[in-house]
Amino acid sequence: MAQAVSDVLKQHLIDPEVCIRCNTCEETCPVDAITHDNNNYVVDASKCNFCLDCISPCPTGSIDNWRVVNAAYSVDEQYSWSELPVQQDIAVQSANDETGEALDEEAAALIASAHQGTGGKPIAPASSAKPSVNLFNRGRPALAIVTGNYRLTAENGDNDVRHIILDFGDTRFPVLEGQSIGILPPGVDAQGQPHRMRLYSIASPRHGERPNTNNLALTVKREPHGVCSNYVCDLKKGDKVQVAGPFGATFLMPNDSAANIVMICTGTGSAPFRGFTEWRRRMTPDAVGRMVLFFGARRPEDLPYFGPLQKVPDSLLAKFFAYSRVPDAPKIYVQDRMREQADMLAPLMQSDKTHIYVCGLRGMEQGVDAALDDICRGSGVKWSELRERMRGDGRYHVETY
Ligand code: A2P
């Protein structure tokens, strides 16, 4: 049901221009309110119960759209859209007309939230820079030129992870560390539909691979049957690529040199943390805030940026590597390394200056959470309560896939 105040309804909608049709929302919705056709993913207003479960898993934020309406848009209407309808003032007006009075507070709040999104989604750090989002989309992509494609993992292994550099030339494509871009692979699928856009985290700091260059880097792993990852990993210098985005408004760095930043990742989940580390190294190398990295990979030769990471001084970045497939050695995961470092992490976690970021395989989420729970318990802190407080402050961020 759409949420109602007087005759005004708040309706949950999905932005067709930004949605990458990844199906995450439909899989997540507990009441089957989200459905799709060949064109769009849509929300059935007669079923949506405003539980907000679908909001945080959406990688693009396209799910977090709301309109205040007099009558809900039907599913069929939404299927036909190529963009969201603008917020009609008439919905507000008719509520006023109905009562002859000023719009009541609850309705006003609904309308404000129709413009602002929900309160249930992750929050950016209070001090982070304001991100630009959704400047380019499938209908109006930015064109980037490939200026580099380097293998980051051992040549002889089956784990092909690449560092791709995209240059935007004269096109303004402003990004922040922690944001993602969408790559539009050329061609169509077996049904004749354009291939789906894929999102990749930006691995460089906001002002480029080298300061003041209009480029950015990606860390991309070749997936055995991945249309987009194979397209990207095979790109040659000089190739042109269609790009959408930037996306993401919450997994951002605090703009505070006193902030402690604890980063936990596996594999290509390291991409945003390369951007974080480089930005701090370039701008505030003597920051009082600490940076700590827990990084999991199969073996050292599978760890993206292993060589360059070794050169980052420990005073800037404390590094803890966890290898799971080194012959004749025990399987170690990031959460094991975190437990080993409980004496260092426990006091950090109790500081209001500490931000925690988790990025990588979805499977690690539970293990990392359990490790943080153990570490907190050891110092008499309830992690479930601290986690909610940190989330509310925009200091706890999880991006897994
Ligand atoms: P594993 O050897 O058990 O697969 P990948 O290279 O495939 O992206 O994986 C990155 C690292 O994340 C690997 O070392 C992998 O270990 C590890 N990993 C897999 N599952 C988990 C998990 N549940 N928690 C933490 N790390 C994990």
Side-chain angles (χ1 to χ4, degrees):
M1 74 224 77
Q3 219 172 56
V5 175
S6 310
D7 280 350
V8 185
L9 307 172
K10 179 181 176 187
Q11 186 174 4
H12 184 192
L13 298 169
I14 299 174
D15 187 340
E17 284 189 290
V18 178
C19 172
I20 58 169
R21 281 81 174 155
C22 64
N23 204 52
T24 312
C25 55
E26 191 169 321
E27 280 166 23
T28 311
C29 180
V31 293
D32 294 330
I34 299 178
T35 171
H36 69 277
D37 70 353
N38 280 340
N39 199 30
N40 285 337
Y41 274 72
V42 303
V43 185
D44 185 338
S46 66
K47 293 184 183 168
C48 175
N49 63 2
F50 283 75
C51 69
L52 307 182
D53 284 2
C54 57
I55 302 295
S56 58
C58 170
T60 64
S62 57
I63 192 82
D64 197 10
N65 279 282
W66 309 85
R67 292 290 180 271
V68 177
V69 292
N70 293 128
Y73 294 107
S74 71
V75 163
D76 285 338
E77 270 176 290
Q78 295 175 58
Y79 281 149
S80 69
W81 289 345
S82 53
E83 58 185 41
L84 281 178
V86 293
Q87 174 62 56
Q88 297 290 325
D89 285 339
I90 190 144
V92 179
Q93 195 55 51
S94 80
N96 279 327
D97 289 348
E98 193 76 86
T99 59
E101 292 168 3
L103 204 62
D104 70 49
E105 265 175 36
E106 201 182 348
L110 269 185
I111 288 161
S113 69
H115 294 290
Q116 288 165 6
T118 69
K121 66 176 185 178
I123 294 172
S127 66
S128 64
K130 179 115 187 55
S132 301
V133 289
N134 307 333
L135 300 180
F136 296 91
N137 54 38
R138 182 182 284 281
R140 199 175 80 88
L143 211 58
I145 307 272
V146 179
T147 55
N149 179 346
Y150 310 98
R151 185 161 172 147
L152 294 167
T153 45
E155 283 294 340
N156 49 4
D158 56 359
N159 194 14
D160 184 4
V161 180
R162 287 173 175 271
H163 184 69
I164 315 283
I165 304 171
L166 299 177
D167 191 284
F168 286 85
D170 289 338
T171 305
R172 193 174 162 275
F173 198 95
V175 297
L176 290 175
E177 307 76 27
Q179 285 194 291
S180 318
I181 63 166
I183 298 283
L184 294 153
V188 293
D189 63 18
Q191 284 73 47
Q193 296 292 321
H195 286 303
R196 288 220 173 121
M197 184 196 306
R198 285 284 178 261
L199 289 196
Y200 296 100
S201 288
I202 297 163
S204 44
R206 65 191 78 180
H207 62 185
E209 270 289 272
R210 270 182 290 120
N212 305 317
T213 47
N214 192 20
N215 61 16
L216 57 77
L218 305 176
T219 315
V220 181
K221 176 175 171 167
R222 191 188 291 277
E223 301 294 345
H225 304 290
V227 171
C228 197
S229 73
N230 278 285
Y231 164 66
V232 174
C233 288
D234 289 338
L235 285 168
K236 307 270 177 306
K237 231 171 158 174
D239 284 350
K240 293 191 175 82
V241 182
Q242 293 195 330
V243 180
F247 298 119
T250 60
F251 198 97
L252 302 173
M253 254 187 109
N255 182 22
D256 174 9
S257 60
N260 304 308
I261 302 180
V262 177
M263 302 170 282
I264 304 154
C265 64
T266 55
T268 55
S270 57
F273 302 147
R274 180 177 181 270
F276 285 20
T277 306
E278 271 303 289
W279 183 242
R280 188 168 268 190
R281 189 178 68 78
R282 289 180 198 176
M283 302 310 287
T284 47
D286 301 320
V288 293
R290 300 182 62 183
M291 289 190 102
V292 181
L293 175 70
F294 291 90
F295 194 163
R298 299 173 190 185
R299 294 159 301 177
E301 56 269 38
D302 292 305
L303 194 137
Y305 310 112
F306 182 73
L309 265 174
Q310 303 296 332
K311 297 195 186 108
V312 182
D314 287 345
S315 55
L316 181 77
L317 178 71
K319 304 167 277 289
F320 301 95
F321 298 125
Y323 301 120
S324 58
R325 299 192 201 178
V326 172
D328 304 323
K331 191 188 231 342
I332 306 284
Y333 280 168
V334 280
Q335 51 267 41
D336 303 319
R337 287 276 179 258
M338 291 168 65
R339 284 194 175 86
E340 286 170 11
Q341 295 302 320
D343 288 348
M344 179 265 289
L345 285 174
L348 265 188
M349 289 175 68
Q350 290 183 49
S351 163
D352 287 347
K353 287 283 182 192
T354 297
H355 297 242
I356 298 178
Y357 296 84
V358 182
C359 189
L361 297 176
R362 179 151 297 160
M364 81 195 265
E365 219 176 298
Q366 211 182 352
V368 166
D369 197 70
L372 291 170
D373 193 22
D374 287 347
I375 293 164
C376 282
R377 195 171 324 108
S379 56
V381 173
K382 205 159 183 209
W383 168 235
S384 56
E385 288 171 9
L386 176 60
R387 185 181 55 209
E388 288 323 296
R389 204 166 71 241
M390 291 184 76
R391 276 212 177 107
D393 293 346
R395 294 190 296 117
Y396 184 68
H397 299 272
V398 178
E399 209 164 85
T400 55
Y401 36 82

